[in-house]
Amino acid sequence: MTWSQMQPLLEQASWETLIMVGWSTLIAVVAGLPLGVLLVLTDRGGLLQNVVLNKVIGQVVNIGRSMPFIILMVALMSFTRWVTGTTIGSEAAIVPLAIGGIPFFARLVETAVREVDGGLVEAVQSMGGNTWTIVRKVLVPEALPSLIASTTTTVIALIGYSAMAGTVGGGGLGDLAVRYGYQRFEPGFMWITVALLAVAISIIQFAGDYAARALHRRGGQGGAGPRLRLLRAKEPVAADVGKVA
């Protein structure tokens, strides 16, 4: 197969992979972020301690993470058909990709949030901050560099899942590698798709690492930004007390 024949196929498959990974990542982040934070808040000693709820959520997340993606795709075929009207193509592949990505990202979020300095949480609590304020002003901002790194890891994992989806007609570069590289005995075609996936993963990893380092430097060593905001929030209170006296 000549390059002029390969090029339009590769362009279409690359676009399909981009759509699959992009939408599934967005859904995984939107659903996985609150799920991961909830795992921390409902744990023992958490702000919303609820051991039963924590165990239930944790077990659901563990089951989702432990299931091989190819089995998950088959198990979700009826649900995928109900959502998209089909089980073939890039649009159908988004459903199992997103569902597989949610528990994966949730565990990474849980790990990132647990690394936040507990002293900042206690400081906000002592100033009368509620749970939502602590999550919005402390937990998520302080964990942001780690969350960026977690998102990068999730995107790379979903690229691998999307290639696997190609084995069952999910579209994208994986489907192209199977249909042309394997079934039609075009090894050159397969190696080109492998190279494209490797380049995409390298670029995403570099961009994610750069963004995480930039956010870490911007926040300052030891999370100086949130501490300064807490001090600024505290100063007007002290001034008001002096006026009343």
Side-chain angles (χ1 to χ4, degrees), residues 127-181:
M127 295 167 58
N130 57 23
T131 302
W132 171 242
T133 301
I134 292 172
V135 171
R136 188 167 56 93
K137 295 292 187 180
V138 178
L139 295 182
V140 172
E142 282 292 289
L144 195 55
S146 296
L147 292 176
I148 294 296
S150 299
T151 303
T152 303
T153 303
T154 303
V155 172
I156 292 173
L158 289 175
I159 290 175
Y161 289 169
S162 71
M164 199 181 304
T167 62
V168 290
L173 291 171
D175 178 55
L176 210 61
V178 171
R179 285 193 293 116
Y180 288 89

Side-chain angles (χ1 to χ4, degrees), residues 36-243:
V37 173
L38 192 61
L39 281 169
V40 177
L41 296 179
T42 58
D43 200 4
R44 294 184 186 276
L47 299 174
L48 300 175
Q49 179 174 318
N50 188 323
V51 178
V52 175
L53 179 60
N54 183 268
K55 293 295 183 183
V56 171
I57 297 175
Q59 193 61 32
V60 171
V61 169
N62 289 338
I63 293 173
R65 288 185 63 200
S66 63
M67 186 174 296
F69 180 72
I70 192 70
I71 296 176
L72 181 65
M73 283 193 67
V74 175
L76 291 174
M77 278 188 174
S78 297
F79 179 71
T80 301
R81 185 180 291 107
W82 178 73
V83 173
T84 65
T86 181
T87 58
I88 299 175
S90 56
E91 291 184 1
I94 292 173
V95 176
L97 283 171
I99 293 177
I102 290 171
F104 183 87
F105 185 68
R107 279 300 184 192
L108 295 177
V109 170
E110 180 188 11
T111 302
V113 173
R114 288 190 188 280
E115 295 175 354
V116 175
D117 185 3
L120 293 175
V121 176
E122 294 175 359
V124 176
Q125 282 182 308
S126 67
M127 295 167 58
N130 57 23
T131 302
W132 171 242
T133 301
I134 292 172
V135 171
R136 188 167 56 93
K137 295 292 187 180
V138 178
L139 295 182
V140 172
E142 282 292 289
L144 195 55
S146 296
L147 292 176
I148 294 296
S150 299
T151 303
T152 303
T153 303
T154 303
V155 172
I156 292 173
L158 289 175
I159 290 175
Y161 289 169
S162 71
M164 199 181 304
T167 62
V168 290
L173 291 171
D175 178 55
L176 210 61
V178 171
R179 285 193 293 116
Y180 288 89
Y182 178 71
Q183 294 176 350
R184 301 189 184 184
F185 303 102
E186 293 279 355
F189 208 116
M190 179 178 291
W191 285 114
I192 290 174
T193 59
V194 170
L196 286 174
L197 289 170
V199 170
I201 289 172
S202 298
I203 293 173
I204 292 169
Q205 186 67 64
F206 174 80
D209 291 344
Y210 179 83
R213 287 195 298 267
L215 285 170
H216 182 73
R217 288 194 298 268
R218 184 179 178 183
Q221 297 297 325
R227 289 189 177 91
L228 289 175
R229 287 196 294 270
L230 289 173
L231 289 174
R232 292 194 188 101
K234 197 172 181 178
E235 286 173 358
V237 176
D240 292 341
V241 172
K243 290 178 183 179

